[in-house]
Amino acid sequence: MIKIGFIGPTWIEKLIKKSFSMFPNIEVVYRFSDEIYDAITFTKELMNKVDCILYSSRTTYLLVKDHINDSIESYYIPLKGSGFFEALFYLIKDHPIQFISIDGLAKEYIQSVICEIEGIDYTIVEHLGIVEGYEKIVQRHLETIEGKSNVGIITSIKKVQDALKQYHLPVVWLKPTQQDIIVCIERILLSSTQRRKRENQVIYGKFLIEFKDQNVQSLNKKSTSEK
């Protein structure tokens, strides 16, 4: 059994625990805090107690790497196209959006979704997350949309979303989906040092199979008639 430490904000607690529950061969030690710098303290606490650490975001991962010299196998949940598709849906369903300012997502994930929607252009606001200072990111978004009409913003940082709402702008907070988390956990299992040391490692999960009585009866009737 692999032992993973998870470090992230309180909003993700329910989602991350639900995702890990699908992998009963993993023991998880959770640490939650809405103060990002607590991740440094949590990492020092857990690094000698777990096989690896999973961070809720790239920002948190980079922050810890900058402050801790001791190494431990570590990962972060990436933001991908599935989360962007969800954020985009909530952004355009109530607003006639023609231009979007986006942060926290790689260009390839944006293009794979935007290319299927006509009449929407976008700009990527590069940043290093809260470590850089969310006020600067807010300002970059405002500069990007200046002079444009029918604009919207997708941000990966909750504080940026809260600040931009004060300007009465359509803004959506980009978060990882359960699908993103599950794929990340699967990759940890496949790439972990502990797993590579074992000659026979079986990765298993829980599956829920539903049967409809009507389908089963129809199949039984068909089998009877064939006899």
Side-chain angles (χ1 to χ4, degrees):
M1 177 176 287
I2 184 173
K3 191 172 185 180
I4 298 177
F6 177 81
I7 297 174
T10 55
W11 73 262
I12 203 172
E13 181 174 356
K14 184 177 180 180
L15 181 60
I16 195 71
K17 288 184 175 180
K18 181 179 179 181
S19 300
F20 269 117
S21 70
M22 301 178 68
F23 298 86
N25 56 325
I26 299 177
E27 180 183 352
V28 190
V29 181
Y30 296 101
R31 293 293 183 272
F32 298 104
S33 173
D34 291 327
E35 173 52 61
I36 190 171
Y37 284 92
D38 284 344
I40 300 171
T41 303
F42 291 155
T43 300
K44 291 178 180 178
E45 176 190 349
L46 295 177
M47 61 190 313
N48 294 319
K49 300 178 182 179
V50 297
D51 299 303
C52 62
I53 294 178
L54 174 61
Y55 299 97
S56 62
S57 68
R58 181 172 179 267
T59 300
T60 309
Y61 169 86
L62 292 175
L63 174 67
V64 173
K65 286 294 184 182
D66 287 342
H67 286 78
I68 297 180
N69 295 324
D70 296 335
S71 61
I72 180 173
E73 202 166 333
S74 55
Y75 307 84
Y76 63 87
I77 301 171
L79 292 170
K80 294 190 175 182
S82 57
F84 176 59
F85 188 85
E86 183 178 281
L88 185 62
F89 169 78
Y90 285 112
L91 183 64
I92 67 176
K93 73 183 183 73
D94 296 322
H95 305 280
I97 301 297
Q98 294 180 327
F99 181 86
I100 307 175
S101 181
I102 306 167
D103 73 62
L105 197 64
K107 185 176 181 179
E108 57 266 27
Y109 295 128
I110 298 174
Q111 287 181 327
S112 64
V113 177
I114 290 290
C115 67
E116 299 182 11
I117 304 175
E118 295 183 1
I120 294 182
D121 196 7
Y122 70 92
T123 291
I124 299 175
V125 173
E126 301 286 353
H127 69 81
L128 293 177
I130 300 174
V131 179
E132 185 180 11
Y134 77 92
E135 297 91 349
K136 292 182 180 179
I137 303 168
V138 170
Q139 187 59 39
R140 289 180 188 176
H141 278 294
L142 293 175
E143 291 172 356
T144 298
I145 65 174
E146 186 176 1
K148 297 180 174 64
S149 58
N150 296 327
V151 300
I153 298 172
I154 295 178
T155 177
S156 60
I157 301 173
K158 181 65 165 61
K159 287 186 176 181
V160 173
Q161 181 201 35
D162 294 339
L164 287 169
K165 280 185 175 180
Q166 298 178 14
Y167 294 88
H168 305 289
L169 293 167
V171 54
V172 175
W173 177 24
L174 174 64
K175 298 179 286 185
T177 63
Q178 185 172 18
Q179 178 185 350
D180 294 334
I181 295 172
I182 290 173
V183 170
C184 182
I185 296 171
E186 290 172 343
R187 289 179 177 174
I188 290 175
L189 286 172
L190 292 171
S191 63
S192 67
T193 300
Q194 185 186 31
R195 182 260 175 185
R196 292 195 298 267
K197 288 180 179 178
R198 296 176 180 176
E199 294 184 359
N200 298 308
Q201 168 89 9
V202 178
I203 298 174
Y204 61 95
K206 293 179 180 179
F207 295 89
L208 177 62
I209 303 175
E210 296 181 354
F211 291 97
K212 293 184 178 179
D213 293 338
Q214 184 177 355
N215 293 338
V216 175
Q217 291 174 1
S218 299
L219 181 62
N220 290 337
K221 290 179 180 179
K222 182 178 180 181
S223 300
T224 303
S225 63
E226 289 176 351
K227 292 180 181 180

